[in-house]
Amino acid sequence: MAEAERIIGTPDTPDESGEHTPAGAPAGSGVTAAAGASGTGEQPAQVRSRRGRRIALLFAVAAFAYALDLISKTLVVAKLEGHAPIKLIGDWLELNAIRNPGAAFGFGAAFTVIFTLIAAAVILVIMRLARKLYSYPWAVALGLLLGGALGNLTDRIFRSPGVFEGKVVDFIAPKGFAVFNLADSAIVCGGILIVLLSFRGLDPDGTVHKD
């Protein structure tokens, strides 16, 4: 947990003026987390409002990704499971319902409980770190991770064979690749976005640095 917080960013520290100093900036510099990136010199109340909008975006993205995953899996179980695969693009892409006891893309089938605990830990870390967000792109990235993790964790808890051992519903089957679902896609897209943001030097607190 501490390592995850170190990667995402340390908590903002208030200086004597009551403003929040972004991670890495000296206390008392008068630079707020949001102002550090925009140079607008906003007041603390304005900074909190901007941060609130970013947190709202994170949960909106997470809710959207989670809803799409939940609806798609419900339809797959009701309409496709137990039936022949549906071809979408010839032999290159089809819908084929399977139950996956492993991690994303079918890896690690023997460690279902461990992957369940990891997914739960990821969700807790994202929820805890949401209050430090001052960046819209980071809000989208973490929202995708949160929605995807919630989608697969729901399967782990509520689907057979039992709690924390449930098999995830996968159905997107490209030719020559593992079968996956929309939750897996959200997790991958969120991870790619985080890598791109890191390469650009954009931190979750809204500051930009160059190595």
Side-chain angles (χ1 to χ4, degrees):
M1 187 75 72
E3 178 65 15
E5 291 193 8
R6 184 189 67 78
I7 295 173
I8 296 297
T10 56
D12 307 320
T13 55
D15 59 20
E16 295 179 356
S17 65
E19 295 180 330
H20 282 49
T21 304
S29 62
V31 179
T32 65
S38 62
T40 58
E42 293 176 316
Q43 297 300 315
Q46 293 174 303
V47 173
R48 287 193 294 271
S49 176
R50 289 166 62 88
R51 181 178 60 186
R53 290 195 294 269
R54 286 153 177 78
I55 294 174
L57 176 61
L58 185 157
F59 288 113
V61 171
F64 182 72
Y66 178 68
L68 282 182
D69 181 68
L70 187 62
I71 292 171
S72 66
K73 288 174 179 175
T74 301
L75 291 174
V76 165
V77 171
K79 304 295 185 180
L80 185 59
E81 198 167 45
H83 296 78
I86 298 175
K87 295 185 181 298
L88 296 181
I89 307 177
D91 292 331
W92 293 97
L93 179 64
E94 63 182 22
L95 299 181
N96 183 20
I98 67 169
R99 296 295 181 108
N100 172 23
F105 308 111
F107 298 117
F111 302 98
T112 303
V113 175
I114 294 176
F115 290 131
T116 302
L117 295 176
I118 291 174
V122 168
I123 292 170
L124 291 175
V125 169
I126 294 174
M127 298 285 286
R128 182 176 179 180
L129 297 174
R131 60 188 176 85
K132 304 174 185 179
L133 276 179
Y134 292 91
S135 165
Y136 282 121
W138 271 95
V140 173
L142 293 179
L144 289 171
L145 289 179
L146 179 59
L150 282 171
N152 283 338
L153 183 60
T154 299
D155 283 2
R156 301 292 187 197
I157 294 175
F158 295 106
R159 297 194 188 277
S160 60
V163 177
F164 300 126
E165 296 182 348
K167 296 181 180 180
V168 174
V169 176
D170 288 338
F171 57 92
I172 304 173
K175 182 179 180 180
F177 194 71
V179 184
F180 59 96
N181 56 44
L182 294 183
D184 297 333
S185 300
I187 291 171
V188 170
C189 290
I192 292 174
L193 182 54
I194 287 176
V195 171
L196 293 176
L197 293 173
S198 299
F199 274 122
R200 291 188 59 187
L202 178 61
D203 292 334
D205 64 1
T207 59
V208 179
H209 68 272
K210 295 185 181 295
D211 295 329

